C-alpha cells in the first residue's frame, strides 16, 4: 500500500538541509530503484520553483510500504530528521486514484 509522508521543516534549516541532502536523496533512490516510490519533493517556502534563501517548509514523499508501521519507521530514520531539518513527519495511508 502507498503511504504519504509529510514532513515539516524547522525554521531557518536551509543550510542543514543542503548539507544533509545527499544522504536524504540516497534513501529515496533506494525506494525508486525498488519500484516503490510514487513521488517525492520539497515544498518551497515561497511561490517559486527556486526559493533561494527562503528555503523550504517541508517535503512530501508518497511510497509503497508493507504497513503503516514500516512507513513510519522509514520516516523516523530520515537523515533530515536526525540532522534537525524536520520538526516532525506525519505518515498516513494513501490511495492513488488518478492518473
Amino acid at each position: 500500500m502507498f503511504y504519504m509522508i509529510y514532513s515539516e521543516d524547522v525554521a531557518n534549516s536551509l543550510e542543514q538541509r543542503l548539507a544533509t541532502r545527499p544522504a536524504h536523496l540516497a534513501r529515496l533512490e533506494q525506494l525508486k530503484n525498488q519500484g516503490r516510490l510514487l513521488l517525492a519533493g520539497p515544498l518551497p517556502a515561497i511561490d517559486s520553483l527556486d526559493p533561494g534563501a527562503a528555503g523550504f517548509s517541508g517535503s512530501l514523499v508518497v511510497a509503497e510500504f508493507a504497513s503503516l508501521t514500516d512507513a513510519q519507521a522509514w520516516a523516523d530514520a530520515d537523515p533530515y530528521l536526525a540532522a534537525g531539518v524536520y520538526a516532525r513527519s506525519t505518515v498516513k495511508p494513501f490511495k492513488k486514484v488518478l492518473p
Side-chain angles (χ1 to χ4, degrees):
M1 178 168 192
F2 285 112
Y3 294 87
M4 177 238 27
I5 302 169
Y6 170 67
S7 301
E8 299 174 69
D9 283 19
V10 171
N12 303 311
S13 61
L14 180 59
E15 186 175 319
Q16 194 60 31
R17 177 185 263 271
L18 295 175
T20 311
R21 188 170 189 257
H24 173 78
L25 290 179
R27 295 178 78 233
L28 292 170
E29 282 293 329
Q30 287 177 343
L31 288 177
K32 180 181 146 197
N33 293 339
Q34 295 167 356
R36 297 170 43 205
L37 183 63
L38 185 61
L39 64 90
L43 307 171
I46 60 173
D47 190 11
S48 173
L49 289 176
D50 182 4
F56 299 91
S57 63
S59 301
L60 176 66
V61 174
V62 179
E64 188 175 21
F65 294 92
S67 67
L68 179 60
T69 301
D70 288 350
Q72 185 67 59
W74 189 90
D76 290 345
D78 195 299
Y80 279 170
L81 191 61
V85 175
Y86 289 159
R88 71 189 68 67
S89 293
T90 301
V91 181
K92 293 188 177 194
F94 177 82
K95 181 180 176 184
K96 183 179 184 258
V97 176
L98 294 170

